[in-house]
Each structure stands twice: as structure tokens, then as C-alpha cells.
């Protein structure tokens, strides 16, 4: 899928011509789904397997389209981007954040244009939001897409809430006293509250078509956005030339636009990260220092701390506790214990709190019109999900206290308190759901790249969407969500913030600055093994946007560098490959360093790198390596002297060690320091994971 040729050229005519040769003249127009004509040269069509093979033989690249999934306020203060942080409001108001998602709710206070001037002159987009949808000087653009009807004007109004949430997280206005029914009350704002927003709706409740995603990239690039945030992805990684987001973001990178993508929500299992292209900024999710809890109080006086966003108040009144298996007449004991769908008898749970052996039991309790629910939560103890009735989720140890009380008491009673926020001194910690590395497509490129707040995030929401996972009557303007979808717009906002200080920086420079200044994080303890933790969970660490404004040194990578790397992998989809190209992905000038080594064999790996001085003249950087006895790391030269800004210096990192067994990940860090700037890069050496 190439760039558009220079000069006079009609992409659609050419695309139809190609299609006619494969499906015949009469069927070509009907088969055509969309012609991408604004920013890159490609088309989407409905083809049989045989027709796909015919097109592929014509030296064209043929990629099957999939349906991708959405990966779903204290957070900005926690990462240091406070209201008092240094800003350039005039420059910020010229930054345009493109949000590819489920659309947007234009009437939200987070998108009011009070005090805004007209859109930046560079803006070439439009407002095609559909009926009763109005853009303004804050929300300056809106487009909707539907592969089934590519010529129709698809309403951009958000019926899911996801796109409204991500857009306001990245660039929403400052809104006072925002909360979810009083929970997490405070000031809601985006990372760049003065920036403009353009919304591109490619997703609905059923998912996101890759054809539509490519169309959104095509338009966003041509419209003039500065940053693209896309909290969308697949369940697993796909080759770069078969991944619509990797393809679209490559063309964005060519035009100087950084694309930020969520890493995925399939953790904590290793090898689950789905955003793996090196020109993409792949974002993991982590906790913030506010944890939302919902207490369970038993009639015997015991209080247990659970995780839930429970907006309901029972005023401390105690109600009967009933176990799922004791209030079901239609299900087996095993399914009734977990409160499986349609197992609970409504007449038996009315006015009572149901206790269930599975977190999903709260949905059935709501359907059966129970007063409340207490459920066992073994998988996602670090997340508080919005529940549709008075409820809380308990870890196994606390849940067993409830069960023991029920089994030893003739008339067990309890209550559930409204949620509150408490201080979490352990943050930031990688989220349990956040997808883990290693990278299955380019094994020598560390993914995810970086971590950002993605747990219990309050942001704007669609009043038309249910605030919980079940259809319900409540309507909210702000909601609390968790996911790498929430982490992604934090980094998009941080990248936009950097762009206000460095408008001439390339996407790789912005990415490098954020990665090399990130807060170091500690590997979490995972009972299933440590392989997928550490850098495979959080990349370079946790974002620190203010520090990234002055990173000292940056690692630059251009389109030619990426093509050279791709050619070393025998991928010519993105550009022509010269004969005799040598090297491997680990040679890419990337801010992190990673290598896959053979099991049980001694190894020596070299990482050639070049850094550019973006700090003061006459700077001297001395290297420091943080490692353990498992690997040896040397750097040549170990001191870099810079006379002026913009000057570049090469160096080589050599990592060696004895053979490692399967399922091994060994980490180290390289830090260049001039006494003021600490430019840190993670180093990871690992062996293959054997299931």
C-alpha cells in the first residue's frame, strides 16, 4: 500500500481498472467498498479467496480485513502534568488531536468552545457528524465511516461512550466538579485542554472495521491533525503488512504525525501485545495513586474492602445475605453458585444481597432484581468496574470471610457502602489486564513502549450509553473506565504537550523523549511466572510528560530507517528494498534495546545507536549501566561530547552472557547523564516462551 504518486493521477480510476481485470467490468463497481485517495494509494473491495489470489499475483498487496475491538481526575496530576505546569496556550490551541474511535458526544462540557478562536489555518477537514450534530471551535471536525455503506454520511454521535472518554482524556476542557454520582469528584481535564479535537468514528458496539480504520487514517492525515490516538486493536499481533493500523500509521509517520495505540487488554499472559510496529507508540496501562473501593460490612461488625465503582447508598442498613445456590430452582449447583445467566429466582432475591462465586454474577443479580451483590473477584483485583446495583467484588481471602459468616449464622445480614477513593502508595503498577510482550512480529523490538494511567479513569461519557456492562436506565456525563484504551489518550495528550514546545520534532523524537524520561517501574509479582512482567508489561516505564520537554538526547528514526529495518525482515510492502541489505530490527535506532537469544547458548549481541543533542551546547554525557550478574553490558564510547544542539554521536552497546533456559527475561538499563539530564533506555535479553 503505497504513497500517492506526485502530479496528476486518478487513484479511483486506477483502482477500478485493477478490479475490472479480476472480477469483470460489470462487477467492479459493486465489489468496490472504498478507494483511499487522500493520503495513500489503496482500495478496499469485497473479494472471494480466489479473487484475492488473482490480485496478489498482479504485484499488488492484498490484505484481508478484520473486525477489531475497542480496548477500554486524578491521572494527569499523578503523572506530573498539573494545572500549574509550564504551558504555551497559544501554541497548544493550534495542536489538533485526531481521535479514531466510537465517535464523540459534541454537547459535553469537555468539548465546549467557550473562549476559543477559529480553527488553525492548517485545518483542511470538515464536520460531517450527521443529523443534529454540530462541531465548534473546540471540536473542529467529525467524520463517520461504514464499510457497508461507504458513501453514506454516518452519524458521529457516540452511542458507546468510549470515544467521548478517550477524546476528553487527551484534550478535553477543564470541567469543575466532575464525578460519577459523587465518586472521584474533582476537576476533569485532558492533557492539552486548549488543543482542538477531530473525531473519526470507525467503531460501534460490534467492533471496528479495518476498511473504515484505513479510511479514517486517509482523512485524518489529509485533514491536518498533529497526533492520532486510536484505542483499538486485535486480540493478537499481525504482520505489519496485514495490519490496518500499522499501515495507516506508517503513512501518518511519513507526514510527521505520531500515532498512539493501546497495547491491548489480554494480559497478564505473555505474548499478547497486539500493537507492535516500531513507528507506532504502543501503550500499556498502569495504576494511579487513587484506588476506588467499595466496603462490605457484615452484621457481626467485620468490614471488608472490595473493588467496585458503586454509586448507590444503602445508608448503612443491613439486608439479608443469600448464596446463589440457595436462591435458584432452575440451575445445577455449580452454575447457581456463580449466579450464571437466568439462574437466580427473582422472588427469592428481592430485597436481599446475593453472594456469587464469580465476578460476572453481579449482572445476573441485577437482572433478577436483587437488592445488591457481593461477588468473588480472582482475576481483576486491581480494577474497580462500574456495577449496575449496590455491589462489591472481593478477593478470595475476604470472600471466604463472607462465606464463613453465611454458613455459621442463622440470619446473615450485611450492607455495601458507596465507593470512595483511597491513596494507593504502590502506584504505578502494571495493570493485570494490560497486554504483555514479547513482540511476536519483530522479536528484537520491545513492546509495549511505555505505560500510562489506565485504571479507574474519570472522563467524559455519552449520556446515551449505559455506564455499566449491562443495559440500564442511568445516564451519565462522566464515567469511570479502565483499559489500555484509557492509557493511550494519556500518552497522546503528553505527546501533544511536547509538540507545543517542539513543533519541529519528528514522531520518533517525541516518542524518544517520552520513553527515555519515563519513571522506572518495578516488575509485578505474577503467580503464573515473571516472564511476561517487567519491561514486557510496561516498556520503558511510566510517562513523565514535564520531564520529557527537556530530554537532553533523543533517538531519531526516519522513514528510510524503518524501511531498512523492514527490508532486513524481507518485507517490501512499505517501500522498495535494495539488494544486499544487512542487519536486523535490533539495529533500528530505537530508544529501547531488545534481543531474542537462543535457549541454553552463550550470546553476544550488539546494539548500534545514534543520539542527537537537543540540550545545551558543550554537553558531556557519561554512561551508567544498571544490571545484575546475569548479563554483561559494555558501551563504547562511554563518554559523549557535544559542542552544539543538533549534533549527533554514535555508540555501540554490547550485551553478553551465558546460555539461558526457556521462558527467561533478563533486564538492564543504560543511562546517559550530563548531571542534569538522565537519558534512560531499557535493555532486555530473552529466550522463547515454551508453553
Amino acid at each position: 500500500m503505497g504513497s500517492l504518486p506526485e502530479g496528476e493521477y486518478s487513484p479511483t480510476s486506477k483502482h477500478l481498472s485493477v478490479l475490472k481485470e479480476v472480477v469483470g467490468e460489470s462487477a467492479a463497481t459493486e465489489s468496490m467498498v472504498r478507494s483511499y485517495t487522500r493520503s495513500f494509494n489503496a482500495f478496499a473491495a469485497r473479494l472471494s479467496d480466489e479473487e484475492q489470489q488473482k490480485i496478489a499475483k498482479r504485484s499488488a498487496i492484498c490484505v484481508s480485513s478484520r473486525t477489531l475491538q475497542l480496548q477500554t481526575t486524578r491521572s494527569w496530576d499523578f503523572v506530573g502534568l498539573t494545572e500549574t505546569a509550564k504551558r504555551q496556550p497559544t501554541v497548544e490551541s493550534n495542536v489538533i488531536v485526531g481521535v479514531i474511535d466510537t465517535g464523540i458526544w459534541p454537547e459535553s462540557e469537555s468539548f465546549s468552545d467557550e473562549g476559543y478562536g477559529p480553527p488553525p489555518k492548517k485545518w483542511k477537514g470538515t464536520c460531517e457528524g450527521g443529523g443534529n450534530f454540530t462541531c465548534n471551535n473546540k471540536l473542529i471536525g467529525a467524520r463517520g465511516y461504514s464499510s457497508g455503506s461507504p458513501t453514506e454520511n454516518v452519524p458521529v454521535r457516540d452511542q458507546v461512550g468510549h470515544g467521548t472518554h478517550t477524546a476528553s482524556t487527551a484534550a478535553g476542557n477543564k470541567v469543575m466538579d466532575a464525578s460519577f454520582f459523587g465518586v472521584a469528584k474533582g476537576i476533569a481535564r485532558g492533557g492539552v485542554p486548549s488543543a482542538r479535537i477531530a473525531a473519526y468514528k470507525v467503531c460501534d458496539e460490534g467492533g471496528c472495521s479495518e476498511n473504515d480504520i484505513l479510511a479514517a487514517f486517509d482523512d485524518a492525515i489529509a485533514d491536518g491533525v498533529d497526533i492520532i490516538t486510536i484505542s483499538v486493536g486485535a486480540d493478537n499481533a499481525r504482520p505489519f503488512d496485514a495490519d490496518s493500523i500499522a499501515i495507516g500509521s506508517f503513512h501518518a509517520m511519513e507526514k510527521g504525525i505520531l500515532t498512539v495505540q493501546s497495547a491491548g487488554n489480554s494480559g497478564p499472559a505473555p505474548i499478547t501485545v497486539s500493537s507492535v510496529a516500531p513507528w507506532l507508540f504502543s501503550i500499556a496501562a498502569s495504576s494511579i495513586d487513587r484506588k476506588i473501593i467499595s466496603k462490605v460490612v457484615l452484621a457481626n461488625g467485620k468490614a471488608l474492602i472490595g473493588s467496585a465503582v458503586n454509586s448507590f447508598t444503602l445508608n448503612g442498613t443491613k439486608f439479608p445475605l443469600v448464596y446463589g445456590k440457595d436462591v435458584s430452582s432452575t440451575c445445577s449447583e455449580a452454575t447457581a453458585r456463580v449466579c450464571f445467566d437466568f439462574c437466580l429466582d427473582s422472588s427469592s432475591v428481592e430485597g436481599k444481597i446475593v453472594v456469587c462465586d464469580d465476578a460476572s454474577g453481579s449482572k445476573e443479580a441485577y437482572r433478577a432484581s436483587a437488592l445488591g451483590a457481593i461477588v468473588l473477584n480472582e482475576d481483576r483485583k486491581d480494577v474497580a468496574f462500574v456495577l449496575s446495583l449496590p455491589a462489591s467484588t472481593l478477593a478470595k481471602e475476604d470472600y471466604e470471610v463472607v462465606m464463613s459468616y453465611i454458613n455459621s449464622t442463622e440470619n446473615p445480614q450485611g450492607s455495601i457502602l458507596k465507593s470512595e477513593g483511597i491513596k494507593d502508595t504502590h502506584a504505578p503498577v502494571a495493570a493485570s489486564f494490560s497486554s504483555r510482550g514479547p513482540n511476536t512480529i519483530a522479536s528484537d523490538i520491545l513492546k509495549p513502549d511505555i505505560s500510562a494511567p489506565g485504571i479507574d479513569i474519570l472522563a467524559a461519557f455519552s449520556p446515551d450509553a449505559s455506564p455499566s456492562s449491562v443495559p440500564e436506565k442511568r445516564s451519565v456525563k462522566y464515567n469511570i473506565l479502565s483499559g489500555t484504551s484509557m492509557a493511550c489518550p494519556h500518552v497522546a495528550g503528553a505527546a501533544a504537550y511536547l509538540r507545543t514546545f517542539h513543533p519541529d520534532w519528528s514522531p520518533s523524537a517525541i516518542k524518544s523523549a517520552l520513553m527515555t524520561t519515563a519513571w522506572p517501574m518495578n516488575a509485578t509479582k505474577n503467580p503464573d511466572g515473571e516472564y511476561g512482567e517487567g519491561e514486557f508489561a510496561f516498556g520503558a516505564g511510566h510517562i513523565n510528560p514535564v520531564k520529557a520537554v527537556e530530554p537532553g538526547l533523543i533517538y531519531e528514526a526516519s522513514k528510510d530507517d524503518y524501511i531498512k529495518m523492514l527490508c532486513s525482515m524481507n518485507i517490501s510492502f512499505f517501500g522498495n528494498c535494495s539488494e544486499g541489505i544487512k542487519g536486523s530490527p535490533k539495529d533500528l535506532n530505537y530508544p529501547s534495546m531488545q534481543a531474542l537469544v537462543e535457549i541454553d547458548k552463550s550470546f553476544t549481541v550488539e546494539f548500534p545507536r545514534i543520539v542527537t543533542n537537543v540540550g545545551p551546547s558543550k554537553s558531556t554525557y557519561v554512561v551508567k549501566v544498571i544490571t545484575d550478574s546475569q548479563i554483561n553490558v559494555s558501551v563504547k564510547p562511554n563518554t559523549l561530547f557535544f559542542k552544539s544542539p543538533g549534533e549527533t554521536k554514535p555508540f555501540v552497546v554490547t550485551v553478553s552472557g551465558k546460555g539461558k533456559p526457556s521462558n527467561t527475561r533478563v533486564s538492564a538499563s543504560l543511562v546517559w547523564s550530563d548531571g542534569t539530564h538522565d537519558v534512560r533506555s531499557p535493555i532486555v535479553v530473552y529466550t522463547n516462551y515454551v508453553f
Side-chain angles (χ1 to χ4, degrees):
M1 185 175 294
S3 302
L4 289 169
E6 299 291 336
E8 291 188 14
Y9 178 76
S10 174
T12 302
S13 297
K14 180 64 176 176
H15 298 160
L16 278 170
S17 175
V18 171
L19 207 49
K20 286 175 183 177
E21 293 180 28
V22 175
V23 301
E25 188 165 347
S26 60
T29 303
E30 189 175 332
S31 296
M32 176 76 78
V33 173
R34 188 185 302 276
S35 180
Y36 306 108
T37 61
R38 302 189 70 200
S39 302
F40 44 84
N41 187 15
F43 66 91
R46 299 181 185 88
L47 300 171
S48 66
D49 291 344
E50 183 180 351
E51 289 164 346
Q52 288 186 45
Q53 291 172 10
K54 285 182 181 178
I55 279 203
K57 288 178 181 177
R58 298 184 75 265
S59 77
I61 306 293
C62 191
V63 181
S64 298
S65 176
R66 302 168 293 169
T67 297
L68 305 185
Q69 299 300 318
L70 300 164
Q71 298 179 307
T72 292
T73 205
R74 165 72 191 147
S75 54
W76 284 114
D77 285 344
F78 178 62
V79 301
L81 193 52
T82 63
E83 287 190 74
T84 58
K86 182 181 177 182
R87 291 184 182 275
Q88 304 199 81
T90 303
V91 180
E92 190 174 298
S93 69
N94 284 319
V95 172
I96 305 168
V97 179
V99 183
I100 301 178
D101 212 297
T102 64
I104 198 164
W105 192 264
E107 293 83 10
S108 171
E109 287 181 74
S110 291
F111 313 126
S112 165
D113 69 348
E114 184 178 347
Y116 283 81
K121 292 181 180 179
K122 65 184 176 183
W123 174 243
K124 298 180 179 65
T126 186
C127 185
E128 297 175 349
N132 199 29
F133 185 106
T134 305
C135 294
N136 57 31
N137 287 330
K138 170 68 174 180
L139 174 59
I140 60 174
R143 297 179 187 268
Y145 306 87
S146 173
S147 293
S149 306
T151 58
E152 287 186 12
N153 187 2
V154 177
V156 183
R157 185 171 295 279
D158 187 5
Q159 302 297 319
V160 179
H162 191 274
T164 301
H165 199 280
T166 57
S168 65
T169 300
N173 294 324
K174 175 180 172 181
V175 178
M176 306 297 291
D177 296 326
S179 72
F180 181 79
F181 295 105
V183 178
K185 187 174 182 178
I187 299 171
R189 61 182 171 88
V192 277
S194 297
R196 318 299 177 115
I197 295 171
Y200 301 85
K201 182 178 180 178
V202 299
C203 308
D204 55 24
E205 294 89 340
C208 322
S209 163
E210 289 201 285
N211 295 335
D212 295 340
I213 289 170
L214 276 172
F217 270 105
D218 189 28
D219 282 332
I221 295 166
D223 287 346
V225 305
D226 296 295
I227 302 286
I228 293 174
T229 178
I230 178 165
S231 292
V232 173
D235 291 333
N236 47 53
R238 214 177 172 191
F240 303 143
D241 53 7
D243 181 341
S244 63
I245 298 175
I247 294 167
S249 62
F250 187 89
H251 290 285
M253 174 273 298
E254 287 183 290
K255 301 296 184 182
I257 303 165
L258 175 63
T259 301
V260 186
Q261 185 190 12
S262 49
N265 294 332
S266 299
I271 322 177
T272 50
V273 61
S274 59
S275 173
V276 294
W279 51 87
L280 275 167
F281 210 174
S282 309
I283 314 305
S286 49
S287 60
I288 61 173
D289 62 347
R290 181 201 63 207
K291 183 176 178 64
I292 296 177
I293 64 166
S294 180
K295 292 180 182 177
V296 171
V297 180
L298 305 179
N300 64 4
K302 285 195 174 180
L304 307 167
I305 295 178
S307 295
V309 181
N310 170 36
S311 64
F312 303 94
T313 301
L314 298 180
N315 297 317
T317 305
K318 304 295 190 294
F319 294 91
L321 302 179
V322 291
Y323 188 30
K325 78 175 183 64
D326 298 327
V327 285
S328 175
S329 59
T330 57
C331 293
S332 67
E333 183 175 316
T335 53
R337 284 175 183 272
V338 298
C339 305
F340 194 70
D341 294 351
F342 301 102
C343 280
L344 299 181
D345 300 333
S346 295
S347 59
S348 300
V349 299
E350 185 179 352
K352 299 172 184 176
I353 297 172
V354 184
V355 180
C356 308
D357 285 358
D358 189 84
S360 63
S362 64
K363 297 179 184 179
E364 170 60 6
Y366 176 75
R367 182 209 63 82
S369 298
L371 177 80
I374 299 170
V375 298
L376 173 63
N377 180 11
E378 293 190 280
D379 296 328
R380 299 286 183 248
K381 302 170 190 173
D382 54 340
V383 184
F385 293 110
V386 173
L387 300 178
S388 52
L389 76 171
S392 187
T393 71
L394 297 178
K396 186 175 182 181
E397 184 178 320
D398 289 330
Y399 184 79
E400 288 175 349
V401 171
V402 175
M403 290 304 304
S404 176
Y405 169 66
I406 290 175
N407 293 330
S408 62
T409 307
E410 186 174 342
N411 182 28
Q413 293 188 334
S415 190
I416 303 166
L417 305 187
K418 183 177 180 178
S419 287
E420 59 182 298
I422 63 170
K423 184 81 171 177
D424 182 0
T425 58
H426 299 292
V429 175
S432 60
F433 56 76
S434 191
S435 291
R436 266 65 168 171
N439 184 337
T440 57
I441 305 302
S443 57
D444 292 341
I445 299 293
L446 176 63
K447 290 288 178 171
D449 287 308
I450 203 168
S451 175
I455 295 179
D456 303 345
I457 305 302
L458 177 75
F461 200 67
S462 167
D464 274 6
S466 170
S468 68
S469 59
V470 299
E472 55 165 300
K473 295 179 181 178
R474 287 185 298 173
S475 174
V476 298
K477 294 181 178 180
Y478 290 84
N479 200 3
I480 297 169
L481 300 181
S482 297
T484 55
S485 284
M486 284 65 251
C488 177
H490 278 93
V491 176
Y497 175 71
L498 258 66
R499 194 177 178 92
T500 66
F501 292 93
H502 305 287
D504 58 336
W505 275 12
S506 68
S508 65
I510 293 173
K511 182 175 172 179
S512 172
L514 284 163
M515 288 177 67
T516 59
T517 58
W519 289 332
M521 292 174 65
N522 295 320
T524 51
K525 299 297 180 183
N526 187 339
D528 296 326
E530 303 301 312
Y531 183 78
E533 300 306 322
E535 289 77 10
F536 286 169
F538 50 67
H542 201 258
I543 59 164
N544 188 352
V546 174
K547 188 177 179 183
V549 171
E550 297 181 4
L553 305 175
I554 55 172
Y555 295 81
E556 284 267 28
S558 66
K559 173 188 173 182
D560 289 343
D561 294 323
Y562 293 123
I563 289 177
K564 183 178 179 182
M565 184 214 76
L566 290 163
C567 291
S568 76
M569 301 172 67
N570 297 314
I571 300 172
S572 58
F573 179 91
F574 296 89
N576 296 324
C577 295
S578 305
E579 287 187 21
I581 284 187
K582 298 179 181 179
S584 74
K586 73 179 185 317
D587 300 329
L588 180 68
N589 200 39
Y590 212 63
S592 57
M593 302 168 204
Q594 174 171 292
L596 172 65
V597 298
E598 291 188 64
I599 296 171
D600 294 328
K601 289 189 177 181
S602 297
F603 59 87
T604 299
V605 182
E606 289 188 348
F607 299 96
R609 292 292 187 269
I610 298 171
V611 285
T612 303
N613 179 28
V614 293
S617 303
K618 297 181 180 179
S619 299
T620 300
Y621 283 84
V622 178
V623 77
K624 178 183 179 182
V625 174
I626 304 166
T627 185
D628 58 27
S629 57
Q630 295 190 62
I631 55 174
N632 301 309
V633 180
S634 63
V635 184
K636 290 185 179 179
N638 60 12
T639 304
L640 302 176
F641 302 96
F642 295 94
K643 296 179 181 178
S644 60
E647 189 178 357
T648 61
K649 293 289 182 180
F651 63 93
V652 177
V653 180
T654 303
V655 182
S656 60
K658 296 180 179 179
K660 307 297 177 190
S662 62
N663 303 10
T664 297
R665 171 191 50 80
V666 182
S667 305
S669 291
L670 175 150
V671 182
W672 288 106
S673 179
D674 66 349
T676 301
H677 306 94
D678 291 324
V679 187
R680 187 177 63 87
S681 293
I683 301 171
V684 177
V685 175
Y686 71 106
T687 56
N688 270 323
Y689 187 74
V690 178
F691 292 90

